[in-house]
Amino acid sequence: MNVSISTILDQIIAAVPLFKPELALIIGFICSILCALFLEKRWQMSTFVLTICSMLITLFFLTEQLNISASGFSGMWLVDTLGTQARMVITAGAIITAIFIQQRHRENNNGDVYSVLLAATLGVNILSSSSNWLLLFIGIETVSIASYVLVGYFSGNKAQSEAAMKYALFGSVCAAVMLYGLSLIYGLTGDLDFQSAQHMQGLMVAPQSILVLALFFVFVGIGFKLSFVPFHLWSPDVYQGSPTAITAFLSTVPKVGALILFTRLYQAWSSTAFFFSELSVWLVIVVAIASMLVGNLAALRQRDVKRMMAYSSIGHTGFLMMAIFAYQDAHSYLMFYMVAYVIMNLATFIFIDRLEQQTGSTQLQSYAGLGKSFPMLFTAFTVVAISLIGLPPTIGFIGKLMVFSAVFDLYQSSGDLAILALLVVGALTAVISLFFYFRIPLYAFLRQTEQPTAQPATASKFLEIIGYILALLTVLFGLFPHVLLNLF
């Protein structure tokens, strides 16, 4: 069917209002580059202020799109409640990351890094707002390339350069494999919208062997962004080698976008007559179990806190997939756990960074005896660790309780032993996580060290206060979860 250029232009103009939040990010991205080139030397904070303003404008436009359901750009761009709420969480996480970077790396002229952060946020937003494979691939590559730059931006030693190189190489290979898989799927279906009837019809009549190969290639790309097993290999080295502010970003914001993509994909495929619909259920269960086991068991052996958090993040990805499986029709509970995950991880990395400035190390051993010197910081750190384990009275406990309850209801209605195995592994790994998270207060309060620690002059109190606020939120939303649930 031939469509005239005027019709295409009309469709684009009509869809522009749906794209206003992302337009704010794009304009902010261009202006931040210009600021870094021409204004940064006179006013060092100009790029940072511009970036924060751009993200706040994005949040304002997103609030206007709440409770709106529409599509634009020939169906490539989706605006719905799930996507809009996810983009708000993504933007809020990016704002905290920008503040984290500004507070932590004030000594250099780092204006360029904020434009890269805006590009990464734009890419994650695209992941949350489309069901078109071509647009999704552009979103994945936008956030991936920006992430490679962020990881290598502050590299000042061999470990950081090696982390950036590994991340870029592994990501490039995964992107190439995913693109090959997408080209196979397009060849089999003739349609790139994975929610459309033509796409599903094409999948149902396609040869199964080629289709399984194509889907495997596609999941390589999604698995890379989510870092679930077996595509998690880059995660520990990159988390450990990156500056802590960038690690905090990588462990939260891109995962929200990738999880929304995976949720849409799972919902579109799991309820159809397509042969892979049953396999997709098994895929989610097996990957969730493997990620929880590998992530939590490997975290037990770590002596570096950032590396431990990398494996812990893999375990949490497994649990997030369990949440996707449980809440196919209840987005509010899924968003609740995502918000909990973002709050807990950002707070954790802020505390890790503060202690890294204090000791010059991220080894658990370096925390020995620091509990007496920093009682408030380690108390807040322990509260966040309790929330990550899933103990009351925290947001992590409420989130895990709701997921376990939903999965148990599914088991009671189906009697499927695989779902029972998912429940058992989820509970078992929550117990395992207790042993490595509690090593933080164990070293801080019960171990002694003879080495004196010097107080650095550059430590940011403002950043520490943000960490305390996030730790407080983990308790407040744990005691009053309906406050957060009513927002979704």
Side-chain angles (χ1 to χ4, degrees):
M1 181 176 67
N2 294 322
V3 181
S4 65
I5 294 178
S6 61
T7 304
I8 295 173
L9 287 174
D10 288 342
Q11 288 180 354
I12 292 173
I13 293 169
V16 165
L18 300 176
F19 199 63
K20 280 196 288 187
E22 284 64 39
L23 278 177
L25 291 174
I26 292 171
I27 293 170
F29 170 72
I30 295 170
C31 292
S32 64
I33 292 174
L34 295 175
C35 266
L37 285 173
F38 303 111
L39 200 59
E40 190 79 9
K41 290 181 181 176
R42 295 185 179 179
W43 181 25
Q44 197 171 356
M45 294 276 285
S46 60
T47 315
F48 168 70
V49 172
L50 180 70
T51 299
I52 295 295
C53 289
S54 172
M55 290 179 178
L56 289 176
I57 293 170
T58 301
L59 272 180
F60 172 75
F61 286 139
L62 286 171
T63 56
E64 290 184 338
Q65 292 186 355
L66 281 172
N67 303 318
I68 291 179
S69 183
S71 64
F73 301 113
S74 304
M76 295 176 75
W77 189 257
L78 301 176
V79 173
D80 56 10
T81 305
L82 177 66
T84 305
Q85 290 172 349
R87 285 185 288 160
M88 293 181 77
V89 175
I90 289 163
T91 309
I95 289 174
I96 295 177
T97 305
I99 296 171
F100 200 161
I101 294 171
Q102 193 275 332
Q103 292 290 311
R104 187 62 177 86
H105 301 279
R106 286 177 291 184
E107 68 279 6
N108 299 320
N109 188 4
N110 295 316
D112 297 330
V113 75
Y114 300 112
S115 57
V116 181
L117 182 65
L118 283 168
T121 309
L122 175 67
V124 185
N125 273 10
I126 292 173
L127 283 182
S128 308
S129 301
S130 181
S131 60
N132 184 281
W133 280 123
L134 183 60
L135 193 58
L136 287 170
F137 184 75
I138 292 171
I140 288 176
E141 283 310 288
T142 303
V143 67
S144 296
I145 293 170
S147 299
Y148 306 150
V149 177
L150 286 173
V151 169
Y153 191 87
F154 297 107
S155 61
N157 55 51
K158 186 181 176 183
Q160 291 176 345
S161 302
E162 187 178 330
M165 185 62 73
K166 278 184 181 176
Y167 192 29
L169 289 174
F170 198 80
S172 302
V173 172
C174 287
V177 171
M178 184 181 182
L179 188 60
Y180 187 62
L182 290 180
S183 65
L184 284 175
I185 286 181
Y186 182 66
L188 294 170
T189 63
D191 190 277
L192 285 170
D193 187 342
F194 62 73
Q195 291 182 338
S196 71
Q198 183 184 345
H199 189 83
M200 295 309 304
Q201 184 64 30
L203 291 176
M204 282 189 269
V205 299
Q208 291 189 3
S209 55
I210 299 177
L211 187 56
V212 168
L213 185 67
L215 293 176
F216 173 74
F217 287 166
V218 171
F219 281 115
V220 168
I222 300 174
F224 169 72
K225 287 318 307 170
L226 277 173
S227 67
F228 60 60
V229 175
F231 309 110
H232 66 289
L233 300 175
W234 63 273
S235 183
D237 289 341
V238 173
Y239 275 44
Q240 186 178 10
S242 305
T244 309
I246 306 303
T247 308
F249 176 79
L250 294 177
S251 71
T252 52
V253 176
K255 281 198 173 184
V256 175
L259 280 165
I260 296 298
L261 162 62
F262 202 84
T263 302
R264 291 188 195 280
L265 195 61
Y266 180 66
Q267 288 175 345
W269 287 358
S270 62
S271 58
T272 64
F274 164 42
F275 83 97
F276 192 75
S277 60
E278 189 174 344
L279 286 180
S280 65
V281 175
W282 276 97
L283 175 77
V284 170
I285 292 176
V286 170
V287 169
I289 288 176
S291 298
M292 285 190 286
L293 282 174
V294 171
N296 286 283
L297 288 173
L300 273 176
R301 300 172 53 85
Q302 306 308 314
R303 294 289 178 269
D304 184 282
V305 182
K306 286 171 73 175
R307 200 171 179 86
M308 183 183 84
M309 285 304 300
Y311 282 109
S312 161
S313 174
I314 294 165
H316 276 283
T317 299
F319 200 84
L320 283 165
M321 296 191 72
M322 189 171 165
I324 291 172
F325 176 74
Y327 298 130
Q328 297 178 41
D329 300 315
H331 295 157
S332 58
Y333 298 124
L334 182 63
M335 286 306 302
F336 182 90
Y337 195 79
M338 283 191 190
V339 170
Y341 176 77
V342 171
I343 290 175
M344 293 184 299
N345 272 269
L346 285 176
T348 300
F349 282 106
I350 286 173
F351 294 140
I352 290 173
D353 181 72
R354 174 68 183 87
L355 292 165
E356 187 179 1
Q357 288 183 79
Q358 177 66 34
T359 63
S361 169
T362 54
Q363 294 292 315
L364 269 170
Q365 188 67 40
S366 66
Y367 292 177
L370 288 183
K372 292 179 181 176
S373 304
F374 303 95
M376 190 171 174
L377 189 148
F378 273 104
T379 302
F381 204 166
T382 305
V383 168
V384 175
I386 288 171
S387 187
L388 284 165
I389 295 166
L391 297 176
T394 60
I395 191 172
F397 168 71
I398 299 295
K400 287 196 173 183
L401 181 65
M402 290 194 298
V403 172
F404 280 128
S405 301
V407 175
F408 185 70
D409 289 342
L410 286 174
Y411 168 67
Q412 282 192 316
S413 60
S414 67
D416 194 333
L417 291 178
I419 300 177
L420 180 63
L422 186 64
L423 268 174
V424 171
V425 171
L428 179 66
T429 51
V431 174
I432 292 172
S433 69
L434 187 146
F435 290 96
F436 59 81
Y437 283 128
F438 269 4
R439 281 193 298 176
I440 294 168
L442 173 72
Y443 273 90
F445 294 110
L446 300 179
R447 298 283 174 87
Q448 299 298 324
T449 180
E450 297 178 356
Q451 297 179 351
T453 54
Q455 180 76 25
T458 56
S460 168
K461 286 292 178 187
F462 180 61
L463 196 58
E464 202 173 322
I465 290 169
I466 292 176
Y468 292 145
I469 292 171
L470 292 173
L472 185 63
L473 287 178
T474 63
V475 179
L476 285 179
F477 288 143
L479 293 172
F480 309 103
H482 61 278
V483 175
L484 187 57
L485 279 170
N486 289 339
L487 297 176
F488 302 127

